[in-house]
Amino acid sequence: MSFKDLQLIKPILKAVEASSYVEPTLVQQRSIPLILEGKDVIVSAQTGTGKTAAFALPILQKLYDKQDAPKKGKKIRALIVSPTRELAVQIQQNFKTYAEFTNLTSLVIFGGASIEPQIDVLKKGVDILVATPGRLLDLHKQDYVNLDYIETFVLDEADLMLDMGFIDDVKKIERLCPENKQSLLFSATIPNTIEHLTQSILKDPERIDVTPTKSVAKDVSQVLYYVPKRNKIELCLHLMRNTIEGNVLIFRRTKYGVDKLEQTLAKNGYAVNSIHGDKAQSERQTALNKFKNGYVKVLIATDVAARGIDINELDNVLNFDMPNIPETYVHRIGRTGRAGHTGKAYSMCSADEKSYVKAIQNAINVQIPVETEHPYPLDPKAKPIVHKKQGSKYKKGRKSEASKKKKKRWY
Ligand code: AMP
């Protein structure tokens, strides 16, 4: 199937071509016709499947087709609500790219950033607004956002939205929009709470399931290291010096853990940045941009900060802490191995995290291959390899294939 087969109009096709997309992804093939028809949809798809274009392209097309309506001052006609600032920024960037050959405009608003520039653009008028819930309600309350003209309402990463406690805000926002709007809900997983939400905000929705919710992308190779908790930092450094090649996104469960690891890696000479909820928005965006542009090869993040962010050509994901929810594991490692690239997912499991691994393996129905050839085995019976600090020289005969690879410096 081609994008032309999806009845997309010329300015949109031109943008798709400029983005070098050859054919629509599965979620695009299934969502675009329904959205163009005006149906409400609930789509279960993870980031990396092309889901942003799946709603952005038909929304732009519909807005473009009806463009001659209001002449004086643009009214917000499409609203996309996203749980995190990073994701909101990314969605708006996509809209900007796909709208290049139209005169449709978009704006992203989010908390933690100065409100005035956002107000200035709102005053001029935009067609598409991408927003995080808090800032949206704030600006609506101050009368800078008018939702009376919304034709399409999108709830993205709905499951994360609920996990983050935004349910009441989401319902409130939905009620502020006109009743006859089209509503689209995208979510990586569809738990019962989402089912309830869809009943209250979607009208007779079509359901699209693109990926089984707990499936792991086939282009990601996984490997598991059992390691005592106290040796995780050493193992992390060992992997970075000997095994991991290219850039790496490291996940930690807590903000404190992120900061601590960032300090340790920086002390060891790595150019490293981090993102988590306590950082200022500008800091998070700078860190993300530096990582995306390749200036920094190591980014450490909490799940909430990293969820949904799209990093082209992410080579590796390292689970420094094992996630206690299987879906989180799937989301984390789904950051790599996207759009035809192969990726690697490394996981470090300490004794207290073994039950998490069991739950993950049950959920994904895959036994994650275990690498025992490393200097810090958890099993005391396994003979530890003598590790010389900073030296990367291990006893002859115990060196893994990966550790034989030429050391790759990132700084
Ligand atoms: P998303 O799931 O929206 O986060 O998209 C993941 C990545 O896939 C983004 O970098 C998009 O630019 C890219 N993408 C979206 N649609 C296509 C397509 N049809 N062909 C190739 N790449 C695509």
Side-chain angles (χ1 to χ4, degrees):
M1 182 184 272
S2 72
F3 278 102
K4 257 195 194 146
D5 297 330
L6 291 171
Q7 315 295 325
L8 291 174
I9 52 175
K10 268 202 185 128
I12 308 282
L13 286 174
K14 231 169 129 180
V16 163
E17 209 173 292
S19 301
S20 308
Y21 299 169
V22 179
E23 57 172 17
T25 64
L26 193 58
V27 67
Q28 292 161 5
Q29 290 177 27
R30 296 184 55 193
S31 310
I32 291 173
L34 292 172
I35 299 174
L36 285 175
E37 250 181 71
K39 291 248 162 47
D40 281 9
V41 295
I42 162 166
V43 183
S44 153
Q46 296 176 37
T47 37
T49 54
K51 71 182 174 71
T52 312
F55 61 79
L57 299 179
I59 285 178
L60 285 166
Q61 173 146 332
K62 291 174 76 172
L63 296 181
Y64 186 87
D65 281 347
K66 287 212 233 154
Q67 240 186 137
D68 49 348
K71 285 272 187 272
K72 19 170 180 113
K74 286 176 181 265
K75 308 269 194 259
I76 305 164
R77 290 185 292 151
L79 173 67
I80 296 88
V81 182
S82 150
T84 69
R85 303 152 192 189
E86 284 79 7
L87 191 57
V89 168
Q90 204 168 279
I91 294 170
Q92 195 253 344
Q93 277 167 354
N94 282 11
F95 266 100
K96 224 170 139 188
T97 305
Y98 305 141
E100 191 185 345
F101 304 102
T102 71
N103 57 1
L104 294 166
T105 55
S106 57
L107 169 71
V108 59
I109 58 172
F110 45 79
S114 168
I115 206 161
E116 280 74 26
Q118 300 178 358
I119 292 175
D120 287 346
V121 183
L122 282 168
K123 279 182 183 163
K124 285 182 201 136
V126 288
D127 297 293
I128 301 141
L129 183 65
V130 186
T132 53
R135 181 57 59 98
L136 176 64
L137 286 171
D138 187 5
L139 284 168
H140 181 270
K141 206 167 154 197
Q142 297 185 49
D143 268 345
Y144 290 114
V145 167
N146 180 355
L147 299 177
D148 293 348
Y149 298 88
I150 296 296
E151 293 166 21
T152 309
F153 168 64
V154 184
L155 196 55
D156 196 25
E157 299 274 343
D159 51 352
L160 181 60
M161 198 86 85
L162 301 199
D163 287 352
M164 291 173 73
F166 286 137
I167 179 122
D168 291 334
D169 283 353
V170 164
K171 285 185 177 164
K172 205 164 165 184
I173 292 165
E174 191 272 334
R175 283 196 300 266
L176 293 170
C177 301
E179 215 171 298
N180 62 353
K181 68 190 171 304
Q182 177 183 31
S183 300
L184 317 173
L185 182 144
F186 285 75
S187 192
T189 56
I190 314 280
N192 286 342
T193 41
I194 298 281
E195 296 278 5
H196 287 135
L197 183 68
T198 58
Q199 282 161 21
S200 68
I201 67 172
L202 301 188
K203 291 177 297 294
D204 195 17
E206 297 274 349
R207 191 163 174 154
I208 300 170
D209 279 303
V210 178
T211 40
T213 51
K214 286 173 193 156
S215 77
V216 170
K218 62 180 186 315
D219 292 334
V220 182
S221 62
Q222 305 170 65
V223 58
L224 183 62
Y225 294 80
Y226 286 105
V227 56
K229 207 175 199 76
R230 64 177 184 283
N231 292 128
K232 278 198 172 185
I233 295 234
E234 281 105 329
L235 179 60
C236 173
L237 285 167
H238 169 76
L239 293 175
M240 288 174 57
R241 288 185 186 123
N242 299 284
T243 309
I244 295 174
E245 291 195 344
N247 59 8
V248 56
L249 176 58
I250 305 180
F251 284 97
R252 292 221 61 177
R253 250 198 317 264
T254 64
K255 298 168 196 169
Y256 171 77
V258 168
D259 286 340
K260 207 171 139 207
L261 183 62
E262 184 179 10
Q263 285 160 15
T264 308
L265 293 185
K267 259 191 222 149
N268 278 271
Y270 289 95
V272 53
N273 267 156
S274 68
I275 50 172
H276 61 59
D278 281 354
K279 300 225 167 194
Q281 172 55 23
S282 55
E283 262 183 295
R284 288 161 70 169
Q285 201 57 50
T286 308
L288 197 57
N289 288 346
K290 279 190 182 165
F291 187 68
K292 283 184 171 183
N293 297 335
Y295 295 117
V296 165
K297 296 282 188 184
V298 188
L299 183 69
I300 314 170
T302 53
D303 290 299
V304 165
R307 178 83 174 268
I309 58 171
D310 177 35
I311 300 157
N312 276 335
E313 298 179 28
L314 173 63
D315 304 311
N316 305 281
V317 164
L318 170 62
N319 293 308
F320 192 99
D321 302 308
M322 291 309 292
N324 56 354
I325 300 168
E327 277 85 357
T328 305
Y329 177 81
V330 176
H331 289 311
R332 284 184 181 184
I333 77 167
R335 308 271 73 75
T336 183
R338 290 189 181 191
H341 297 287
T342 50
K344 291 213 168 121
Y346 300 87
S347 298
M348 302 199 291
C349 173
S350 51
D352 58 317
E353 295 172 318
K354 279 185 172 175
S355 59
Y356 302 161
V357 169
K358 214 167 151 192
I360 290 165
Q361 296 191 140
N362 279 340
I364 62 175
N365 205 15
V366 166
Q367 286 296 115
I368 308 169
V370 177
E371 177 58 86
T372 52
E373 292 279 303
H374 68 87
Y376 311 100
L378 184 60
D379 179 359
K381 279 177 254 155
K383 212 172 153 204
I385 303 166
V386 178
H387 174 60
K388 286 192 185 163
K389 215 176 164 202
Q390 306 277 332
S392 311
K393 287 215 170 80
Y394 306 97
K395 264 190 183 171
K396 223 177 161 189
R398 293 294 305 271
K399 227 173 180 181
S400 69
E401 271 314 301
S403 69
K404 283 180 206 158
K405 280 183 192 162
K406 207 171 170 280
K407 197 161 142 181
K408 195 166 177 185
R409 290 262 174 215
W410 285 333
Y411 48 91

